[in-house]
Amino acid sequence: MSSVVKSKEQKQELLDRNSFCILPWVHLYAEPDGTVFPCCTATPLWNEEGPGSRYDPKFAKSTLKDKSILQALNEHNFNVLRKEMLNGDELPSSCTRCKRFEDVGNDSYRQYGRRHFGKHIDVIDNTNEDGSLKKLDLKFLNVRFSNHCNSSCLTCNAQWSTTWWDNSPWLKKAGVPKLLQLEDNSKLPFWEQIQPHLHTVERIYFTGGEPLMMPDHWKILKYLVDNNLTDKVELQYNTNLTRLTFGKLNALDMWPKFSSVDLGLSIDGCESDFDIVRWGSKWTDVYNNIKAIKKIENIRYSIDSWQKYFYIHTNQDNSPDFKICKCKHEDINKWEDFIPAKKETVIGGLDFLDDYILRAEKSDAISKLYVRNIKTNKEEEIKISDEAIGVPGASLMQKDTNTTKIRVSWESMATPGKIYEYDIVSKEKKLVKETEIPSGHDPNKYIVERIKAKSHDGRMIPISILRLKNKKQDGKSKLLLYAYGAYKHSVPPSFSSSRFCLVDRGITFAIAHVRGGGDLGDVWHTEAKKKLKKNTFFDYIACANHLIDQRYTFKGGICFYGGSAGGLTGGAVANMAPELFFSMLLLVPFVDVMTTMLNEELPLTPAEWELWGNPKKFKEYFEYILSYAPYNNLSKKDYPSMLITTSLFDNRVLYSEPVKYVAKLRDVKTDNNNQLLKCKVEASGHGGMSGRDNAITELAEEYSFILKTAEIFK
């Protein structure tokens, strides 16, 4: 049997399933000890029972110590995994981590694989009936050649750094080996096995240890360059960037030849802070190497080649939200604007068909899709729904680019996700997949709206609204107003089935797209950094007051909902305008900004100074942070009912922050409202408990609190 699924339609259906991942067919992940796993996320370090092995132990027999790559990938449990994916309705148990990410709406490694390698779905034709592979068709190499590294970072251990091992005498006594190298742990010469696949591989991820210190890394790069194989290979790195050379080889000479080079730099701070956290590395080396790579600081490029032209996605020429340039292959020095930069509009990348170019952009916190006819150069928006506000997406999974049909997704705050087959020419669409809501759902019962509020400085702040269609806009409804406002994070007006247990009971749901996030691009973010941070809080209060003025709710009828840096927003506005709220949910909130920013021993703090300012070094930042920090500004007044959550295992916002905040709040408040603290002592981090059931339980607790304080539940 060549494959369980044969037809083109069946393959596309399989690819669209949440139970399928293409990586076990096209991907090799190997550890320095020779062990092979389906991917680098095959079960997490922590499970419900507590700490365990890093990977699913049933794959431990898949090792290159006594097997070839194909033999290792055809071990029994690999075969079972592929067979389950071809035939099952649920992700296999080894894919728990991806399932957990997807259950809470986050991106997963499975989805990453689909985006980059879904076009190779025909590879399943290489599958035998028992799930084994007839041949290797590797497209993605993710290999840790060794743990050799020149740094002993505070956040690392001897498994990933030989230098860390040098500073740990107890490891020597315990007999823990210092250096692990794949070449020492492979039965067959690893290079001889990998070399043929370098002619078809599309993506290589280098990590370690420190990959730029490893001979195998440079051997691969040289082979790709010498054999003119670089134009379709994307490189990814996790590196400390302390060196760019190896013998006579120089990365600066080799990297420009590749289609894409993505550098993930291990940087926790600058100058002496870096030298302390990244012990053994020198900030001056990293800084000089960054300058050498970029030459022009902060300029980013992503290049596509199509029909004798290069298309360059870049932020050069003061285009913080990007633009797209083009040039002929034979004249790479003559660039012209293809999609010029637009004010407060994020320009996305391109996808190509023979006669059409697809692209996306986002403005006013609304994403849109566009298609351009290459022959006529005319461009128009792809409108897949009559709804004005939603989240569209397009994908080109097919190999054949001589087509006018694409896959377009759509969802809104009222409409669950749908995938259509869309014809660019005829505008016809055919529904091929729809997210099922088992309890039933009718989008026509609801209204999705977009309004704007004027902030204190005249800036117009978008608000996305979801409410019942048959509920009067009479100023009597309770309203939940969500906000985040930091790290350039955008909050899309997407679908969430859980919200309807509130909306169906008459609570209006709204998102305040406040500054600090990236909803309107880079400037939207920078206008709420450092000494402009209060713009986030002013924006939120302006949105709340505008919703009151427009009779969506009333003064005292709002519930604040936000977590982490969004919890900071909630804590600040609670001090500034507590009269607006009947309750607040502050989830793992960053409420003690000052203490955290003064403690440079915390690994995340030095990097955070870029956003908040360094109060330890500069008086102006000390005074400014002190003026809005939620904990420091608690005072004797009435506060609304609150539910504040934290976790003992939160490594981003230490549990001490919410705990001391609640203690002081209870001491100074003059009201009789409940300010509740929930501290999770189970294996739970910044993102909450793992597992679908635990996530549902936590959400039920939060929504029960809202309904109780809204006096919907007595």
Side-chain angles (χ1 to χ4, degrees):
M1 180 175 179
S2 63
S3 174
V4 176
V5 182
K6 291 184 177 182
S7 74
K8 182 178 179 181
E9 291 74 18
Q10 287 175 318
K11 288 176 181 176
Q12 185 61 53
E13 181 185 355
L14 179 68
L15 192 63
D16 290 338
R17 287 184 195 170
N18 293 332
S19 58
F20 178 80
C21 177
I22 199 168
L23 290 179
W25 280 264
V26 300
H27 173 234
L28 172 66
Y29 177 81
E31 293 275 302
D33 64 358
T35 311
V36 175
F37 296 96
C39 67
C40 63
T41 62
T43 74
L45 181 64
W46 282 85
N47 53 48
E48 282 80 356
E49 289 74 38
S53 63
R54 180 175 173 83
Y55 303 106
D56 194 331
K58 66 183 173 216
F59 295 104
K61 294 181 179 180
S62 299
T63 173
L64 300 176
K65 289 182 178 180
D66 55 0
K67 300 178 181 70
S68 68
I69 295 175
L70 181 59
Q71 289 172 332
L73 292 177
N74 276 342
E75 275 289 328
H76 173 72
N77 287 300
F78 270 90
N79 300 340
V80 171
L81 183 76
R82 285 187 284 263
K83 198 171 177 179
E84 287 179 351
M85 286 182 174
L86 290 173
N87 300 317
D89 296 324
E90 295 285 339
L91 278 171
S93 59
S94 303
C95 305
T96 304
R97 192 171 187 182
C98 282
K99 189 173 185 295
R100 290 171 177 172
F101 274 108
E102 293 172 19
D103 283 346
V104 296
N106 291 329
D107 198 28
S108 70
Y109 210 56
R110 182 191 74 86
Q111 293 167 325
Y112 169 91
R114 185 187 188 279
R115 285 197 303 273
H116 292 286
F117 310 108
K119 60 187 176 184
H120 299 298
I121 186 62
D122 288 342
V123 75
I124 63 173
D125 293 338
N126 297 328
T127 313
N128 293 311
E129 190 172 2
D130 65 350
S132 62
L133 299 176
K134 291 181 177 183
K135 62 178 182 178
L136 285 180
D137 192 5
L138 295 179
K139 303 297 181 183
F140 182 23
L141 300 182
N142 183 355
V143 179
R144 295 179 179 267
F145 292 105
S146 83
N147 65 337
H148 187 39
C149 186
N150 59 347
S151 302
S152 53
C153 304
L154 298 181
T155 55
C156 196
N157 56 56
Q159 183 180 4
W160 311 121
S161 171
T162 50
T163 306
W164 207 93
W165 189 95
D166 289 333
N167 297 321
S168 305
W170 63 271
L171 290 173
K172 303 174 186 178
K173 294 180 181 180
V176 177
K178 177 179 180 179
L179 180 64
L180 293 172
Q181 295 189 109
L182 187 60
E183 63 183 27
D184 299 333
N185 292 296
S186 301
K187 177 184 178 181
L188 302 174
F190 188 74
W191 174 252
E192 293 182 10
Q193 296 191 71
I194 283 295
Q195 185 177 332
H197 299 288
L198 296 179
H199 291 261
T200 58
V201 72
E202 295 176 357
R203 183 172 289 247
I204 306 176
Y205 182 46
F206 293 111
T207 184
E210 171 48 49
L212 294 174
M213 296 178 64
M214 299 175 188
D216 292 288
H217 157 264
W218 294 96
K219 193 173 184 178
I220 288 177
L221 258 61
K222 189 175 186 305
Y223 184 87
L224 292 170
V225 171
D226 292 346
N227 290 274
N228 297 316
L229 299 171
T230 59
D231 59 332
K232 294 183 179 179
V233 180
E234 297 179 341
L235 305 180
Q236 280 185 285
Y237 287 84
N238 185 357
T239 173
N240 59 30
L241 207 67
T242 55
R243 57 187 66 195
L244 294 171
T245 61
F246 187 84
K248 296 182 179 180
L249 300 177
N250 191 322
L252 295 179
D253 297 330
M254 306 171 83
W255 283 343
K257 302 179 185 297
F258 289 85
S259 65
S260 172
V261 179
D262 185 350
L263 299 177
L265 306 186
S266 301
I267 298 176
D268 304 281
C270 303
E271 300 175 345
S272 61
D273 300 319
F274 177 92
D275 295 346
I276 293 172
V277 177
R278 299 282 164 183
W279 188 260
S281 301
K282 296 296 182 184
W283 169 250
T284 52
D285 294 337
V286 178
Y287 181 73
N288 289 331
N289 286 339
I290 292 175
K291 288 201 302 181
I293 291 171
K294 291 190 172 184
K295 294 186 179 178
I296 304 174
E297 283 195 42
N298 300 319
I299 300 300
R300 297 170 62 186
Y301 304 94
S302 178
I303 303 175
D304 289 299
S305 176
W306 189 252
Q307 297 184 352
K308 301 180 179 181
Y309 281 90
F310 288 119
Y311 293 86
I312 306 101
H313 187 249
T314 180
N315 64 345
Q316 77 166 18
D317 300 328
N318 194 29
S319 306
D321 298 319
F322 296 92
K323 67 176 183 176
I324 297 174
C325 302
K326 66 181 283 189
C327 66
K328 293 181 178 179
H329 286 173
E330 65 270 19
D331 197 356
I332 60 173
N333 294 316
K334 288 187 178 181
W335 290 20
E336 61 182 65
D337 282 353
F338 180 65
I339 305 293
K342 303 178 184 180
K343 185 179 180 181
E344 296 183 356
T345 299
V346 181
I347 305 295
L350 305 177
D351 284 306
F352 299 90
L353 299 174
D354 284 1
D355 298 322
Y356 300 92
I357 297 177
L358 301 170
R359 69 178 188 88
E361 68 177 41
K362 181 180 66 177
S363 61
D364 209 23
I366 298 176
S367 297
K368 295 181 179 180
L369 297 175
Y370 293 90
V371 59
R372 181 184 296 254
N373 188 312
I374 296 177
K375 295 179 180 179
T376 65
N377 205 34
K378 291 183 178 180
E379 186 176 83
E380 61 182 342
E381 183 183 351
I382 297 176
K383 293 187 177 181
I384 203 69
S385 172
D386 293 332
E387 297 178 273
I389 305 169
V391 184
S395 63
L396 305 178
M397 295 292 113
Q398 70 273 18
K399 290 183 177 180
D400 182 17
T401 57
N402 184 22
T403 182
T404 61
K405 294 182 178 180
I406 60 173
R407 294 291 172 105
V408 178
S409 62
W410 174 265
E411 64 178 288
S412 74
M413 295 171 75
T415 304
K418 298 180 179 182
I419 297 177
Y420 298 90
E421 183 179 84
Y422 180 80
D423 192 298
I424 294 171
V425 177
S426 68
K427 311 287 191 304
E428 294 180 354
K429 62 181 182 181
K430 181 177 73 173
L431 183 64
V432 295
K433 185 180 180 181
E434 183 174 9
T435 302
E436 182 183 354
I437 308 299
S439 59
H441 179 76
D442 181 7
N444 296 315
K445 290 172 54 181
Y446 310 95
I447 295 175
V448 176
E449 297 174 294
R450 167 61 60 82
I451 64 173
K452 293 184 179 182
K454 182 181 287 189
S455 194
H456 69 106
D457 56 358
R459 281 292 226 169
M460 302 303 294
I461 315 302
I463 308 170
S464 300
I465 301 170
L466 170 69
R467 63 187 179 95
L468 282 170
K469 186 179 290 184
N470 63 4
K471 187 141 179 94
K472 291 183 179 180
Q473 189 175 328
D474 56 6
K476 297 180 180 180
S477 298
K478 299 288 177 66
L479 181 144
L480 186 152
L481 184 55
Y482 177 88
Y484 187 72
Y487 302 105
K488 208 175 181 178
H489 175 71
S490 299
V491 185
S494 53
F495 183 84
S496 173
S497 60
S498 60
R499 294 172 185 163
F500 293 92
C501 71
L502 302 177
V503 177
D504 287 345
R505 291 176 169 89
I507 295 178
T508 298
F509 183 91
I511 302 169
H513 301 279
V514 296
R515 281 176 285 181
D519 300 89
L520 276 73
D522 185 74
V523 173
W524 206 246
H525 169 59
T526 58
E527 285 187 2
K529 289 175 59 178
K530 295 185 175 178
K531 289 196 292 182
L532 296 174
K533 183 60 198 170
K534 289 183 184 179
N535 282 337
T536 301
F537 320 137
F538 292 138
D539 290 355
Y540 185 95
I541 293 172
C543 290
N545 284 323
H546 189 64
L547 288 163
I548 295 169
D549 293 341
Q550 298 300 307
R551 299 178 64 79
Y552 287 95
T553 187
F554 57 93
K555 189 175 183 179
I558 298 175
C559 172
F560 176 92
Y561 191 100
S564 193
L568 161 65
T569 301
V573 300
N575 289 324
M576 297 165 69
E579 69 281 358
L580 296 174
F581 308 97
F582 68 86
S583 69
M584 307 186 85
L585 275 81
L586 309 183
L587 310 178
V588 290
F590 186 34
V591 285
D592 192 13
V593 189
M594 180 62 78
T595 300
T596 299
M597 290 299 104
L598 287 172
N599 188 357
E600 59 188 306
E601 294 183 0
L602 296 173
L604 298 180
T605 292
E608 294 281 291
W609 288 334
E610 170 61 23
L611 182 61
W612 313 101
N614 184 350
K616 191 168 184 177
K617 188 174 181 180
F618 301 101
K619 182 181 178 182
E620 59 191 284
Y621 290 129
F622 181 94
E623 293 175 344
Y624 189 75
I625 293 174
L626 192 64
S627 71
Y628 69 77
Y631 174 79
N632 301 98
N633 287 278
L634 288 169
S635 61
K636 292 188 179 297
K637 65 176 71 170
D638 288 357
Y639 286 89
S641 298
M642 294 188 188
L643 173 60
I644 298 105
T645 70
T646 186
S647 169
L648 287 177
F649 297 93
D650 192 338
N651 59 0
R652 295 191 183 183
V653 178
L654 300 181
Y655 74 91
S656 56
E657 288 197 34
V659 169
K660 66 187 286 190
Y661 174 82
V662 173
K664 184 176 180 180
L665 174 63
R666 290 173 175 175
D667 185 55
V668 302
K669 72 186 186 77
T670 56
D671 57 84
N672 294 318
N673 296 321
N674 290 317
Q675 281 83 31
L676 306 177
L677 174 69
K678 179 183 178 183
C679 183
K680 290 165 280 189
V681 298
E682 307 93 340
S684 172
H686 194 63
M689 297 280 291
S690 299
R692 176 181 297 178
D693 291 344
N694 288 327
I696 292 173
T697 299
E698 288 188 342
L699 194 62
E701 292 173 350
E702 295 164 10
Y703 283 6
S704 296
F705 174 79
I706 295 170
L707 293 169
K708 179 70 174 179
T709 53
E711 298 182 340
I712 293 175
F713 285 171
K714 302 292 184 181

